[in-house]
Amino acid sequence: MSSIIDDLKFQYKIGGIANKMIYWNVGAFLVSIVFYQFKLGYFAFPNWIALSSEPAVVLTNPWTLISYAFLHDGPMHLFFNMMVLNFASRLFLTFFTQKQYLGLYLLSAIFAGGCFVGSFYVLHQSSYMVGASAAIMALLVATTTYQPLMNIRLLLIGNVKLWHITAVLLILDLLQIQLDNTGGHIAHLSGAFFGFLYIKLLQNGTDLSRIVNAVIEFFVSLFSKKKSTPFKRVHVNPKQPAVKRESKIVAKDKTQQQIDEILDKISKAGYDSLTAEEKEFLFKAGK
C-alpha cells in the first residue's frame, strides 16, 4: 500500500499541470466521500461549495464559481469527465503552455458558471451545479479552434478530424439542452464559447490567461518574501562578511593577470604594440 502511495506522489511531482488537474479533481471527490452524504446517485453538496443558481448565494460565496469545477456528483460523472479531460489536456498542451492551460481552465469555469447563474435567473429556475465539464469543453474547443484539421485516431473508427469530435459533442449538448440537465448543457456550451473566444483573442495578441497567472504570482511572491526574510538576516551576519567572498574571487595570481592583460592587448593592437618591458616579461613567463 505504501509503495502505491509513494508512486502516486512521485507521479504527481513529476507530472505536468494536466496530471495535477486530474489529481485535484479525484482528490476533491475523495474528500466528498468523507464529508458529504451520497444519496439517490449523487452527492448533496452544500451551497457554500457547489455553484447555486441563486445570484444572492453566489455573491456571498463567490469562490463557488471555481470550486464547483473540481466537484462531481458521483463516480461515473468523475470517470467520464476525467477521461475527456485527459484527452483534451494532451491536445491543448501540444500547442500551448501549462500556464495558459491553468488560466483557461479557471477562467472558463468562472465564465460558464456565470452563464449558468444568469440563464437560470432569466428562466426563473433554481438548482445547483458541479463538474469540470465546462472547463474541459473550453480546452477542447480552444484546441479545435487553433488546429481543427488535426488527425485523431479513434479505436474501431480510425482517423478523424478533431473538429468532427468537437462538433458531435456540441451537437449533443444542443439537442439535450431542454431534455435533461439543462444547467449542465448551458455550462458546456458556455465553456465551449469561451474556449473559442480565448483562441481568437490570443491570435490577436491578447492572452487572457495572464490575468490568472498574475494573481497567482502575486500571492506566491508574498509567500516567498515571508520565507526569505530569515535567510537575508543570516546572509548579512557580520561574523561572515561578504568581503571575504569577494577577495576570493578578485584574488588572482599577479603573473597570470599580467599575462592576460598583455595577450588582450596583442589581440586588439598586435604584437608590435607591446613595450620592450612587456615583450621581455612575456618571454620570461613563457619559459
Side-chain angles (χ1 to χ4, degrees), residues 16-200:
I17 187 63
N19 284 352
K20 287 180 172 62
M21 193 63 71
I22 292 175
Y23 271 77
W24 295 338
N25 277 274
V26 173
F29 181 77
L30 295 177
V31 171
S32 302
I33 294 175
V34 176
F35 290 99
Y36 303 113
Q37 194 172 14
F38 188 74
K39 57 173 104 172
L40 300 178
Y42 63 90
F43 284 103
F45 291 106
N47 285 340
W48 61 267
I49 192 170
L51 181 61
S52 171
S53 62
E54 300 295 333
V57 177
V58 177
L59 288 174
T60 55
N61 302 293
W63 57 85
T64 56
L65 286 168
I66 293 178
S67 62
Y68 86 92
F70 294 89
L71 302 171
H72 292 84
D73 273 342
M76 297 307 295
H77 187 204
L78 174 71
F79 176 73
F80 285 112
N81 267 0
M82 293 304 99
M83 282 184 60
V84 183
L85 175 59
N86 183 64
F87 173 74
S89 299
R90 303 305 171 188
L91 294 177
F92 184 86
L93 291 172
T94 302
F95 307 102
F96 305 102
T97 67
Q98 298 194 52
K99 287 186 175 182
Q100 289 173 323
Y101 176 98
L102 180 60
L104 178 57
Y105 188 99
L106 297 178
L107 288 175
S108 61
I110 294 171
F111 179 81
C115 291
F116 162 73
V117 175
S119 61
F120 266 50
Y121 179 78
V122 172
L123 295 172
H124 302 290
Q125 296 183 21
S126 180
S127 182
Y128 80 94
M129 181 175 68
V130 293
S133 306
I136 295 170
M137 285 300 296
L139 293 170
L140 183 61
V141 171
T143 311
T144 305
T145 304
Y146 184 75
Q147 204 67 246
L149 300 180
M150 183 179 183
N151 281 320
I152 305 296
R153 187 169 184 81
L154 298 180
L155 186 66
L156 303 178
I157 297 177
N159 289 336
V160 296
K161 301 298 183 185
L162 178 57
W163 77 266
H164 293 157
I165 299 173
T166 306
V168 169
L169 294 175
L170 291 175
I171 290 171
L172 289 175
D173 275 318
L174 286 170
L175 292 176
Q176 298 178 70
I177 196 168
Q178 291 184 337
L179 300 177
D180 184 34
N181 189 24
T182 300
H185 295 302
I186 290 174
H188 296 174
L189 295 170
S190 301
F193 173 74
F194 190 87
F196 171 81
L197 181 64
Y198 173 80
I199 294 300
K200 289 303 179 183

Side-chain angles (χ1 to χ4, degrees), residues 173-236:
D173 275 318
L174 286 170
L175 292 176
Q176 298 178 70
I177 196 168
Q178 291 184 337
L179 300 177
D180 184 34
N181 189 24
T182 300
H185 295 302
I186 290 174
H188 296 174
L189 295 170
S190 301
F193 173 74
F194 190 87
F196 171 81
L197 181 64
Y198 173 80
I199 294 300
K200 289 303 179 183
L201 289 175
L202 186 63
Q203 290 173 334
N204 289 326
T206 302
D207 188 353
L208 294 178
S209 67
R210 290 181 180 177
I211 301 171
V212 173
N213 290 298
V215 173
I216 293 174
E217 288 171 3
F218 171 75
F219 286 105
V220 169
S221 65
L222 289 179
F223 179 77
S224 62
K225 285 180 181 178
K226 291 180 180 179
K227 295 289 287 184
S228 62
T229 302
F231 173 77
K232 289 182 178 179
R233 291 176 181 174
V234 173
H235 182 68
V236 296

